[in-house]
Amino acid sequence: MPGTPESPRAHGTTGTPESPGTHGTTGTPESPGTHGAPEASGPRECPGAPAPAASCEAPEPVEPARAPEIASPAPARRLAAVRRGPADPVKSLMHRHRELCERAVDPLEVAAGLEAHGVTDRAAARYRHRDVFSLAEELFARVPGVVAAPAKGPDAPERDVANRAAWSLRALVPGAACVATVGALGLTEGALGGRARIAIAVAGGLVALAGLALGLRSGPLYAEGRSSGAAKVYGCWLLGYVLYGEPLLDQVLSGGPEGPWALTPAPLLGLALSLAPATWCAHLFSVHAHRRLIRSRALEEFAAGVRPLLFGVVALHLCALSGLLYLAHAGYGGGGAYVGAAALGVLLLLARLLTVHGFPGLAVGGMAVACAVEALAPALVLAGRLPGLHVLARPVDVLVMASGTGSVPAVACGAAALGLLAAATVVLSRASAHTTARPVDEGPAVA
């Protein structure tokens, strides 16, 4: 009969294990592929169970439907974890560098100070800024500055012209003193005795040294108290070696020293004349680096523009120095190490640039290396005369036999100059190096 348990296809009844494909019923474990519809007759009863309320399987809990905005609480918890931290990341940096921001006169100075403290463009991204310049502008705007007294003095164009003329004339004093001394010695040759000529040479040398000190105390080469006593000692040694070093090495190599040393004043004359072009090269570097700093909007952009500027300034000075050394050799009759004097001129310019822009330690180190090599050469020759130590003098002998005694200062000053150039390429391409130096034609108060 229809509807009895013997009719398994009756509509609305549960299927038996022998009917895996029953329409509208839930499948048994043997019928996993039945057409999906929930059971209409409630929980399934176990066969042979006395109580229909006891089910074989506990029904799985069904999670109630949620609104879309609260359906997934886990991403909200993750978002809260991401937002954990200060709401204003610039505020901590502002408190850390408050004094810098208060003393700064423009955002560029703040940017240079941040860079000096290790804040790069990549670090500025953590403060939600694209670069250090943008971060510096916000810090400069948010921190109230300290009111400074208004600057007193003439207008900028007049002050500019006056200072340029002043330090240019002071830079010409050493060269003019040396030229005058050489001319006086040439005119009095055979007319005056040895003591009188020595007095003329000493007087001319003192005037040249005074002019050099005056030229370094004002203008673009003025280091504002950063120059140390060691740098002055090393500078005097290097200049003295130009005058006496090559004749001394000649005598040591020939078995001496014996008798008075000869002088080689021609390279010293060219170096004295090169103070004026060195001053102008330092001025050009400072002014153009400051202009590039104003136009730049990223530290990498500024560094990429300053490096060729530094190479150009050094090349310009080397060309001017080579011409002056050639004229000095031609006018004085030769003598002295031409290449060594040119390398020394580049070394002194780089050392002064590093000192002016806030890196006197690098400058002193480069000059110390050159002095050590120049002093080591005759010392090795003398030590090689001791029994069993002749090998010590071998490097100097080979170098002198290949290129002459002038190769020693060329190697010493050339290697030191290359080292300083590599260091200057790194440190002078930082924005912070150009806030410690004068970017315009400013001298000391006495200028």
Side-chain angles (χ1 to χ4, degrees):
M1 292 179 63
T4 62
E6 287 77 20
S7 59
R9 296 186 181 182
H11 184 69
T13 61
T14 58
T16 62
E18 287 78 13
S19 59
T22 311
H23 180 71
T25 61
T26 57
T28 62
E30 290 79 13
S31 59
T34 56
H35 188 66
E39 285 189 3
S41 57
R44 184 160 51 102
E45 296 179 357
C46 293
S55 59
C56 291
E57 297 179 1
E60 295 183 0
V62 179
E63 188 174 347
R66 295 173 179 262
E69 57 271 13
I70 61 173
S72 301
R77 289 195 296 269
R78 287 195 297 269
L79 183 59
V82 172
R83 288 179 178 175
R84 200 173 296 159
D88 185 5
V90 181
K91 193 173 183 180
S92 60
L93 190 69
M94 181 176 63
H95 287 295
R96 194 182 312 155
H97 302 286
R98 189 174 188 86
E99 184 178 355
L100 168 66
C101 300
E102 288 177 346
R103 300 291 180 183
V105 297
D106 53 24
L108 293 176
E109 190 171 348
V110 179
L114 292 177
E115 186 204 27
H117 285 86
V119 180
T120 62
D121 288 340
R122 182 176 299 178
R126 297 200 300 265
Y127 300 98
R128 303 173 187 171
H129 283 271
R130 66 182 183 275
D131 51 40
V132 175
F133 286 88
S134 175
L135 178 60
E137 287 175 351
E138 180 178 349
L139 290 174
F140 184 76
R142 293 177 61 175
V143 178
V146 178
V147 179
K152 297 180 180 180
D155 294 335
E158 297 176 1
R159 183 188 64 216
D160 183 50
V161 173
N163 279 328
R164 284 187 183 186
W167 54 253
S168 297
L169 290 176
R170 283 191 287 266
L172 292 173
V173 172
C178 289
V179 170
T181 303
V182 170
L185 291 176
L187 292 175
T188 58
E189 186 176 1
L192 296 178
R195 292 184 177 179
R197 290 170 59 82
I198 292 176
I200 293 175
V202 170
L206 292 177
V207 173
L209 288 177
L212 175 62
L214 190 61
L216 297 180
R217 290 182 60 86
S218 61
L221 296 179
Y222 178 50
E224 302 184 43
R226 298 186 186 92
S227 182
S228 62
K232 297 175 183 177
V233 172
Y234 294 146
C236 291
W237 170 278
L238 293 171
L239 294 176
Y241 194 91
V242 170
L243 193 61
Y244 291 104
E246 191 175 353
L248 170 64
L249 190 58
D250 273 331
Q251 289 203 11
V252 169
L253 289 172
S254 61
E258 296 176 357
W261 299 340
L263 300 180
T264 54
L268 191 62
L269 176 61
L271 289 170
L273 292 171
S274 70
L275 180 62
T279 305
W280 273 98
C281 287
H283 167 72
L284 292 175
F285 178 72
S286 297
V287 170
H288 286 281
H290 186 72
R291 290 176 182 173
R292 193 170 294 277
L293 179 61
I294 295 175
R295 293 195 301 263
S296 299
R297 297 304 306 168
L299 297 178
E300 290 81 2
E301 178 186 355
F302 173 73
V306 169
R307 292 188 190 103
L309 176 63
L310 175 64
F311 295 147
V313 165
V314 172
L316 179 62
H317 174 65
L318 182 59
C319 292
L321 176 61
S322 300
L324 292 173
L325 287 172
Y326 177 79
L327 292 177
H329 278 74
Y332 207 84
Y338 180 88
V339 178
L344 175 58
V346 174
L347 171 64
L348 294 176
L349 174 66
L350 289 170
R352 198 62 187 180
L353 283 178
L354 288 169
T355 304
V356 168
H357 291 273
F359 301 95
L362 291 174
V364 171
M367 297 171 69
V369 169
C371 292
V373 174
E374 289 181 347
L376 191 62
L380 288 177
V381 174
L382 292 175
R385 297 177 183 175
L386 297 176
L389 298 180
H390 62 280
V391 68
L392 295 178
R394 186 63 180 168
V396 182
D397 292 336
V398 171
L399 186 61
V400 171
M401 289 176 60
S403 304
T405 54
S407 59
V408 173
V411 170
C413 297
L418 287 177
L420 286 188
L421 181 60
T425 304
V426 176
V427 299
L428 295 186
S429 60
R430 302 174 184 171
S432 56
H434 301 276
T435 58
T436 57
R438 288 184 188 78
V440 292
D441 309 306
E442 296 179 359
V446 296

